[in-house]
Amino acid sequence: MNDTTTRLRTLPPAFASELAEASFNHGYRRHTGQADGWLYFASDINVPGEIGLAVADGGAAWFLAVSHPGVAAELGASAATPVPNGMRAAFGFAEQRALRDALHRAYVLATTLPTLPLHEFEAAVAGLGDTEADRITRVRIGQDHFRRALMTYWEGRCPLTGITEPALLRASHIVPWAACASDAERLDVHNGLLLAAHWDAAFDAGLVTFDNDGAALFSPTLGDASRAALGVPPLLTLVDGHRAKLAWHRARYGFEVTPR
């Protein structure tokens, strides 16, 4: 499954149609070419990156290649080689359903990873000046963009509680908006967690944080009743961008991490 050299050099119409449908249904709706058994697609809106799709062994192996470096780093699927020209990474799947799930996640990542949210924010505030009202508006717009990006990245679900009700979810900056060095840092999806309101309040107050493995750390000042109400959360799925920001958060609130 991980050897893309066995892909079909000439795709039968049925397979080509299935791959095109999968691509279209997951946001990559512009066909950009075909070469060496790969079909290539891109978004027809302002979403960066191109993908390639291929199939082998009569449908026993399916392949996805991506050009977006962030998507390549975070997709979390089984790597396949060789990688087609122009792509950053390739991944193999035993079932078409798994390929479709990866396509969905690839599109989610491409729409939220740096620097697309920043570019969309900059376009939205391009006409603002430097009055107090303009600065307030700029912050509101930025926080709205950040929340939308986090809602998409975390797929509308608090990873600690499973809560999906939007009114109960908060876009939690790790490094707070005012403490960020730039708009790029403020709009970086890795500088945020999508948390249920009570977890957001505890995190923002420095009563909880997370280690590099995604395990919750609790302040000794957190009361027993509050600690019990928060429960025992699962590990957060983190990437290096999150870890760098969480190191700042731990240092700010005086958490010490004991090596595992």
Side-chain angles (χ1 to χ4, degrees):
M1 184 182 68
N2 294 329
D3 183 5
T4 66
T5 59
T6 61
R7 66 194 178 280
L8 298 177
R9 290 287 178 172
T10 303
L11 282 172
F15 282 129
S17 177
E18 288 183 41
L19 292 176
E21 178 195 23
S23 178
F24 185 91
N25 288 342
H26 293 90
Y28 295 97
R29 299 177 176 176
R30 181 164 54 90
H31 182 216
T32 57
Q34 180 173 351
D36 297 326
W38 289 91
L39 294 177
Y40 294 100
F41 301 90
S43 169
D44 58 359
I45 57 176
N46 187 32
V47 176
E50 187 180 28
I51 64 160
L53 298 175
V55 62
D57 300 331
W62 303 79
F63 298 100
L64 166 65
V66 298
S67 68
H68 191 299
V71 175
E74 289 196 37
L75 194 56
S78 179
T81 56
V83 178
N85 290 337
M87 297 288 109
R88 184 60 65 98
F91 305 92
F93 309 89
E95 298 178 350
Q96 186 184 156
R97 181 175 63 180
L99 170 72
R100 289 174 178 262
D101 289 344
L103 261 174
H104 167 74
R105 187 59 185 167
Y107 188 80
V108 164
L109 291 171
T111 61
T112 58
L113 293 178
T115 56
L116 184 58
L118 173 64
H119 292 163
E120 292 176 337
F121 164 71
E122 289 174 338
V125 302
L128 295 178
D130 196 36
T131 67
E132 181 65 20
D134 286 336
R135 289 193 292 272
I136 293 172
T137 299
R138 182 184 181 90
V139 171
R140 178 184 57 78
I141 292 173
Q143 291 177 339
D144 286 347
H145 276 73
F146 184 69
R147 176 179 171 83
R148 284 197 295 272
L150 279 189
M151 286 288 289
T152 301
Y153 182 89
W154 293 99
E155 308 218 30
R157 178 180 178 275
C158 169
L160 302 176
T161 64
I163 287 174
T164 58
E165 180 62 45
L168 299 178
L169 297 174
R170 302 289 183 269
S172 302
H173 269 93
I174 301 173
V175 178
W177 181 278
C180 289
S182 65
D183 287 336
E185 186 176 16
R186 294 181 182 104
L187 275 295
D188 184 349
V189 74
H190 294 142
N191 187 31
L193 302 170
L194 187 68
L195 299 178
H198 60 314
W199 271 95
D200 167 70
F203 182 75
D204 191 55
L207 296 173
V208 298
T209 190
F210 302 90
D211 68 15
N212 281 339
D213 294 324
L217 305 173
F218 298 90
S219 169
T221 65
L222 183 66
D224 291 342
S226 297
R227 171 69 181 83
L230 291 173
V232 181
L235 294 177
L236 279 176
T237 299
L238 302 174
V239 299
D240 286 345
H242 296 123
R243 294 184 183 102
K245 302 302 183 185
L246 285 167
W248 181 96
H249 190 265
R250 292 193 299 269
R252 181 188 189 192
Y253 291 105
F255 283 87
E256 295 184 3
V257 178
T258 302
R260 291 173 181 266

